[in-house]
Amino acid sequence: MKKKITIIGSGFSSLAAACYLAQSGHNVTIFEKNDTIGGRARQLIKDGFTFDIGPTWYWMPDVFERFFEDFDKKPSDFYQLEKLNPAYSVYFGKDDYITIEDTLEKICIAFEKEEPGSSKILQKFIDKAQDNYNVAIKDLVYNPGVSPFELVTTKTFKKIDQFFSTIKKDVRKEFKNDRLVKILEFPVLFLGAKPSDTPSFYSFMNYADFGLGTFHPKKGMYQVILAMETLAKNLGVTFKTNAPIEKILVSNKIASGVISNGETFNSDIVLSGADYHHTETLLDSEYKQYSEAYWNKKTFAPSSLLFYVGFDKKIKNVNHHTLFFDVDFDKHAEAIYDNPEWPENPLFYASFPSITDEHVAPEGKEAGVFLIPLAPGLKDNTKLRMTYFTKIMDRFEELTSQNVRDHILFKESFCVNDFIKDYNSYKGNAYGMANTLLQTAFLRPKLKSSKVNNLYFTGQLTVPGPGVPPSLISGKLVAELINKHHSDS
């Protein structure tokens, strides 16, 4: 039966859920607190420059294809996708970097050059990672995290040992060259935890990296949001922006609507794609499933200090995506996960989309995004932000052998306080809850409230986990759960 459904937030998971629910015939309205949709995937437009505020990596193109296929569409109906070559480069010292190109064959050549004999080991490693990808992304993650038995299949049983070893152990067992180790450990950082805390099974991220490659939607990642908005509107979804939710209404232990801007909106079902912890603060305390102690004990993915910089010239010696691993990774990871503090010497990442895409910066100029991963919950102020901008600019200029500071037209920053203010993000985390062994699948916060009927959740803090592709999947999972529970009512 057709239901009136309120969705809180308009990020990837909310938009995906809205599309599936509207396709099933429900009356769906999305409430977004900010003035534009997209959640963390918004845009900054300034002086002819366009920046993706949030995600800048387009990985796992098959997940996007699968989403659009569910509506008899394909990504190319909405945006133009380009495979990046090189995918990215990694700096280890001054003028010293390894470039990761667009095919496994080329990457094997780069590995062989770095460590003779490593290409054969890499090929075997990626074959195993591909097998994991086929089990995980094509099957396992499309389960709603309701029962531990979802993980028990004939395919996963054969891989049981991979849930009890770690990426760090596996990589370091096979590869001795520290630079190659860092490159192979890098992809799991998207899952929000240290390689030493990430189960071996998640090596499927290495296949996503080396096997499938890195892509860029022309005009930026926000084009995916716009595509999903178009799809949702065509399916009948209504959008309300500048519409923060003040309270989720519950009557007889059943979600009955929301209050936004002082006005009551009744509905049959409430689905939140907003921060899970924040969503529960919108309920009377008796309806909260998880205590503050519960959230405080969880391993959260990092927050970030981001800078969006307009340069008046083209930047040399970098690629569209460039990683700076010239300092001690373990010390930085310790400052994020073990003893939360501002790192003394942070690793950082830089993206220059205007190298690939003429739409995002004026001719002859460069758009740069710089990101430093941080522990969530840190003190954040302008002085600290500027201190760290100076740190990474000093290193950036030294490592890439050029002056860029004198060519900055403007810079904008985004950090812990902004994640809290703009997204109600728990402790200002940027990527949700990490995918550690004890925070996988059915061990994550549930898609369906156990205390309030007709209240559901989606997004990075529930299943399957952090990242854009998992968020698309999360939206599908919760829509299926809602349809299953309300098919006869």
Side-chain angles (χ1 to χ4, degrees):
M1 187 189 285
K2 187 175 182 179
K3 299 289 182 184
K4 192 174 182 183
I5 300 177
T6 291
I7 298 183
I8 304 171
S10 64
F12 283 106
S13 57
S14 291
L15 290 172
C19 290
Y20 286 112
L21 290 167
Q23 185 187 47
S24 299
H26 300 296
N27 181 346
V28 180
T29 302
I30 286 178
F31 288 75
E32 167 55 53
K33 75 182 281 289
N34 294 309
D35 57 4
T36 57
I37 68 158
R40 285 167 164 79
R42 295 180 299 152
Q43 279 184 320
L44 168 65
I45 298 172
K46 182 169 181 171
D47 300 345
F49 292 81
T50 301
F51 303 88
D52 283 312
I53 291 179
T56 53
W57 293 77
Y58 191 108
W59 270 10
M60 302 185 187
D62 51 318
V63 175
F64 294 85
E65 286 162 14
R66 186 164 170 176
F67 169 77
F68 285 109
E69 272 169 21
D70 285 340
F71 303 92
D72 298 320
K73 301 287 185 186
K74 46 189 186 290
S76 59
D77 291 333
F78 300 98
Y79 53 88
Q80 191 180 331
L81 209 54
E82 181 176 346
K83 189 173 188 182
L84 296 181
N85 186 32
Y88 56 91
S89 53
V90 185
Y91 268 89
F92 296 99
K94 181 176 170 59
D95 303 323
D96 175 17
Y97 55 88
I98 293 176
T99 298
I100 300 301
E101 293 191 71
D102 62 339
T103 67
L104 182 56
E105 189 182 8
K106 293 176 189 172
I107 296 165
C108 281
I109 292 168
F111 267 56
E112 193 65 27
K113 189 176 169 187
E114 187 69 24
E115 183 183 336
S118 64
S119 61
K120 285 182 180 174
I121 301 167
L122 178 65
Q123 186 66 62
K124 283 182 188 170
F125 186 83
I126 297 298
D127 285 346
K128 190 174 176 182
Q130 181 176 4
D131 189 43
N132 286 352
Y133 189 91
N134 289 335
V135 172
I137 302 303
K138 295 182 180 176
D139 182 22
L140 213 56
V141 294
Y142 285 91
N143 281 310
V146 171
S147 160
F149 295 108
E150 292 170 3
L151 293 177
V152 184
T153 69
T154 50
K155 289 176 182 173
T156 55
F157 191 73
K158 291 175 186 171
K159 298 175 180 293
I160 195 74
D161 59 316
Q162 291 191 49
F163 286 93
F164 297 99
S165 184
T166 67
I167 291 290
K168 183 171 183 173
K169 278 183 191 168
D170 283 14
V171 168
R172 288 166 192 258
K173 188 169 70 181
E174 301 290 353
F175 298 89
K176 304 304 171 216
N177 181 296
D178 188 54
R179 291 146 65 97
L180 299 184
V181 163
K182 283 179 178 173
I183 290 171
L184 285 165
E185 288 181 347
F186 149 69
V188 300
L189 299 179
F190 285 104
L191 300 170
K194 293 189 292 186
S196 57
D197 290 333
T198 303
S200 303
F201 182 67
Y202 286 104
S203 70
F204 64 72
M205 293 296 290
N206 293 106
Y207 175 69
D209 181 2
F210 288 1
L212 295 174
T214 304
F215 295 78
H216 172 73
K218 192 162 273 194
K219 299 185 183 178
M221 284 291 285
Y222 197 66
Q223 296 307 304
V224 186
I225 292 291
L226 294 177
M228 295 176 78
E229 178 190 33
T230 299
L231 182 60
K233 284 183 173 176
N234 289 343
L235 290 162
V237 176
T238 301
F239 287 82
K240 291 181 183 291
T241 52
N242 295 307
I245 302 300
E246 285 123 41
K247 190 171 180 64
I248 296 171
L249 301 171
V250 179
S251 149
N252 297 321
K253 296 189 177 177
I254 301 171
S256 58
V258 298
I259 298 175
S260 175
N261 292 324
E263 189 178 347
T264 297
F265 296 87
N266 295 317
S267 57
D268 301 307
I269 292 166
V270 175
L271 165 60
S272 180
D275 179 274
Y276 205 124
H277 169 270
H278 169 73
T279 302
E280 291 218 314
T281 69
L282 303 174
L283 293 160
D284 291 335
S285 57
E286 69 210 80
Y287 299 126
K288 292 182 184 180
Q289 303 168 91
Y290 304 108
S291 66
E292 287 299 316
Y294 169 90
W295 293 111
N296 207 35
K297 280 190 295 192
K298 293 297 166 186
T299 302
F300 272 79
S303 185
S304 299
L305 170 56
L306 291 130
F307 295 99
Y308 310 98
V309 187
F311 295 98
D312 68 7
K313 68 166 187 174
K314 301 304 283 183
I315 306 299
K316 299 182 300 182
N317 306 327
V318 289
N319 289 309
H320 184 123
H321 297 297
T322 307
L323 304 165
F324 293 85
F325 285 4
D326 55 306
V327 296
D328 190 322
F329 173 88
D330 290 332
K331 280 190 179 169
H332 188 168
E334 196 178 301
I336 295 173
Y337 296 103
D338 304 324
N339 303 301
E341 61 183 357
W342 282 81
E344 192 175 337
N345 293 305
L347 287 79
F348 66 98
Y349 151 70
S351 171
F352 301 95
S354 43
I355 288 175
T356 304
D357 191 342
E358 73 277 11
H359 296 91
V360 301
E363 191 176 349
K365 298 177 181 176
E366 204 87 88
V369 179
F370 297 82
L371 181 153
I372 302 172
L374 297 173
L378 293 183
K379 180 175 80 169
D380 167 24
N381 57 47
T382 304
K383 186 179 177 187
L384 276 165
R385 294 185 191 195
M386 292 311 101
T387 297
Y388 277 80
F389 186 73
T390 301
K391 278 185 188 236
I392 64 171
M393 281 298 118
D394 286 346
R395 278 172 43 212
F396 183 83
E397 290 187 327
E398 168 70 15
L399 293 166
T400 64
S401 301
Q402 64 190 313
N403 172 291
V404 297
R405 242 176 303 206
D406 296 339
H407 297 275
I408 293 174
L409 295 168
F410 65 84
K411 67 176 181 293
E412 301 279 348
S413 65
F414 199 95
C415 196
V416 173
N417 291 348
D418 301 297
F419 281 104
I420 294 169
K421 177 174 70 73
D422 287 2
Y423 313 129
N424 294 309
S425 170
Y426 181 71
K427 292 187 177 179
N429 80 81
Y431 309 108
M433 192 185 283
N435 262 336
T436 61
L437 178 60
L438 296 178
Q439 294 181 178
T440 292
F442 68 97
L443 296 170
R444 297 179 71 79
K446 303 299 183 199
L447 291 168
K448 184 181 188 300
S449 172
S450 60
K451 297 257 183 106
V452 180
N453 286 325
N454 298 4
L455 175 60
Y456 296 83
F457 300 84
T458 186
Q460 300 193 104
L461 268 67
T462 181
V463 292
V468 177
S471 292
L472 294 179
I473 295 166
S474 187
K476 180 173 187 172
L477 294 177
V478 77
E480 288 175 345
L481 210 55
I482 289 170
N483 284 329
K484 181 182 171 186
H485 291 149
H486 299 277
S487 57
D488 302 319
S489 58

